[in-house]
Amino acid sequence: MTTALADRRAAAIARGVGVTTQIYADRAENAEIWDTEGRRYIDFAGGIAVLNTGHRHPKVMAAVKAQLDRFTHTCHQVVPYENYVALAERLNRIAPGDFEKKTIFVTTGAEAVENAVKIARAYTGRQAIVAFGGGFHGRTFMGMALTGKVAPYKLGFGAMPADVFHAPFPAETQGVTVEDSLAALRRLFAADVDPARVAAIILEPVQGEGGFNPAPTAFMQALREICDQHGILLIADEVQTGFARTGKLFAMEHHGVAPDLMTMAKSLAGGFPLAAVTGRAEVMDGPAPGGLGGTYAGNPISVAAAHAVLDVIEEERLCERAEVLGARLKQRLASLADRAPEIADVRGPGFMNAVEFKDPATGAPSPAFTDKVRRAALERGVILLTCGVNGNVVRFLAPITIQDDVFTEALDVIEDSILAARAA
């Protein structure tokens, strides 16, 4: 059946929509997926960080079913509804920053980033945006322009939007220090763009696609000072880091730094499409009425799911659980260092963790070994994702609600897979 489905998919769907596995899902529950042939997998991809509360969390499902019985769509810009307003109020309360905030809802992370840039430009009257190498901000044109990785995201798509500049992101395993990044930013302002023309600096507090590289606190604090000095807005892209993944509700809380604007999506609605931009009230009010929105923006079913997600995070103490799970995972990976010299680094806050692999003989990144680990795990029933500018990082995004026995089973498989890759 899988082969037949793969053939149908290849015939019907554009090749630009790549797939990591040939698993065709039939059903899922919490951290487990069963395919159309009945085989069970432990899901350490989580729909790419969408399922912090797991597949089909009962509380999320109940909220969705209740909303289905009321209405499914009106377009908030035509006939508004209370749960949209209430969710905006909740995000305004819980987002970092001791100032008045406002929120808009859209549908995808890329759309949230696009709107954050629109808001920043409208408020400041400036055009330029600074992003970072290795960052990922989406597949729309502005998202591609901001993304600091060419292949596969920018290949063949022509010229990117203008007035987007990149600086190197501090990453220890890539030999880039905080001072290197700040010095490059100073050179950028001296040689390429007047900081008085810069509307915003955008970054992920932990780079996702770039390799799960956490921004050092000193770097984040320095960016805040630079932004304040030049009247630049700081945008935190929390699309992947948000909603308990890093051990805090939002990753910016690790740094004691409040962004002016913050983008959210992925795990906000527990598997239903919803994204948001939350920021300083006066900044969010920069665009004129009608300048923001979208037909499906803030869909009432997704909004109902998001309310349930926030309840689950609080009631099940998922921030604390993320710390526990991440500590166990990192400890297991670190314990393999002597038997697997390919391990270059184990990192990540909370349960946003990664292992980076190298060639032990040369120290060079080893994407080939990384893919062997991914394939070995898949054969053993655990779904893993790779990432990194060199493709040599495995990232772990299992639901934070994963059952203890399933988590232990997955840890054993991951260890076996790394050792099997060595043997191969």
Side-chain angles (χ1 to χ4, degrees):
M1 184 185 293
T2 297
T3 302
L5 277 171
D7 291 342
R8 287 170 54 197
R9 182 189 180 281
I13 297 173
R15 70 188 183 102
V17 183
V19 291
T20 302
T21 76
Q22 288 298 325
I23 298 167
Y24 286 81
D26 178 63
R27 61 187 179 92
E29 200 75 31
N30 198 0
E32 297 166 282
I33 293 174
W34 287 264
D35 71 8
T36 51
E37 296 181 346
R39 186 175 179 188
R40 166 187 173 266
Y41 294 87
I42 301 174
D43 185 6
F44 261 59
I48 314 182
V50 168
L51 298 165
N52 288 359
T53 52
H55 292 275
R56 301 181 65 254
H57 191 287
K59 192 150 195 169
V60 175
M61 292 298 97
V64 166
K65 290 172 183 176
Q67 183 60 45
L68 281 170
D69 288 337
R70 300 179 69 84
F71 62 93
T72 62
H73 177 76
T74 64
C75 184
H76 184 80
Q77 293 127 255
V78 179
V79 178
Y81 32 93
E82 190 274 339
N83 69 345
Y84 182 116
V85 177
L87 185 60
E89 290 171 337
R90 290 183 80 170
L91 292 182
N92 294 341
R93 286 194 301 270
I94 64 181
D98 186 20
F99 43 78
E100 292 296 314
K101 306 182 194 77
K102 289 190 175 183
T103 290
I104 65 163
F105 293 109
V106 286
T107 308
T108 69
E111 199 179 352
V113 168
E114 293 267 348
N115 278 276
V117 170
K118 286 168 59 177
I119 292 164
R121 285 176 165 174
Y123 176 75
T124 63
R126 305 173 178 187
Q127 296 301 306
I129 307 292
V130 176
F132 291 90
F136 180 80
H137 301 287
R139 290 179 172 86
T140 54
F141 263 95
M142 179 53 72
M144 285 192 295
L146 296 170
T147 291
K149 184 178 180 181
V150 172
Y153 305 114
K154 302 185 186 186
L155 292 178
F157 294 122
M160 297 292 113
D163 261 352
V164 174
F165 302 86
H166 287 88
F169 189 87
E172 185 176 340
T173 59
Q174 295 170 34
V176 181
T177 67
V178 169
E179 184 49 45
D180 290 336
S181 292
L182 295 175
L185 194 58
R186 290 192 290 269
R187 288 194 298 271
L188 188 70
F189 287 162
D192 293 306
V193 60
D194 179 358
R197 287 190 56 248
V198 177
I201 295 175
I202 185 170
L203 79 163
E204 301 158 278
V206 182
Q207 287 192 329
E209 177 63 24
F212 275 33
N213 300 305
T217 294
F219 182 63
M220 198 67 80
Q221 292 174 341
L223 288 182
R224 180 71 271 176
E225 292 174 6
I226 290 168
C227 288
D228 291 343
Q229 177 185 353
H230 296 290
I232 299 169
L233 300 178
L234 182 61
I235 304 174
D237 183 339
E238 292 252 16
V239 167
Q240 190 161 168
T241 54
F243 304 101
R245 174 55 57 182
T246 69
K248 301 284 189 183
L249 196 57
F250 300 107
M252 290 299 289
E253 296 177 58
H254 290 283
H255 305 296
V257 171
D260 300 294
L261 296 167
M262 190 165 71
T263 62
M264 295 162 269
K266 290 192 181 288
S267 278
L268 169 58
F272 292 85
L274 185 68
V277 183
T278 296
R280 293 182 180 274
E282 67 272 20
V283 175
M284 293 292 294
D285 279 341
L292 305 175
T295 302
Y296 292 106
N299 173 270
I301 296 172
S302 297
V303 169
H307 278 290
V309 164
L310 292 176
D311 291 342
V312 169
I313 290 172
E314 182 178 356
E315 293 165 5
E316 300 186 17
R317 302 173 64 90
L318 293 191
C319 290
E320 292 90 337
R321 180 156 177 77
E323 293 284 4
V324 171
L325 294 172
R328 284 186 61 192
L329 174 58
K330 287 183 285 188
Q331 183 179 38
R332 177 69 76 96
L333 291 168
S335 73
L336 294 173
D338 290 340
R339 289 179 288 163
E342 290 83 0
I343 294 177
D345 191 32
V346 176
R347 59 177 175 264
F351 199 29
M352 189 172 181
N353 312 129
V355 57
E356 183 167 344
F357 294 108
K358 64 182 180 182
D359 183 323
T362 66
S366 184
F369 183 84
T370 306
D371 195 54
K372 285 181 181 179
V373 172
R374 182 191 67 81
R375 291 177 182 274
L378 190 62
E379 291 171 1
R380 291 161 174 78
V382 173
I383 302 169
L384 299 178
L385 294 174
T386 59
C387 64
V389 293
N390 297 303
N392 66 320
V393 178
V394 170
R395 51 178 159 172
F396 303 98
L397 289 166
I400 307 171
T401 52
I402 187 171
Q403 310 94 307
D404 287 336
D405 59 333
V406 175
F407 184 57
T408 299
E409 179 186 353
L411 292 184
D412 292 339
V413 169
I414 291 164
E415 177 175 331
D416 290 346
S417 299
I418 292 172
L419 298 177
R422 287 215 77 222

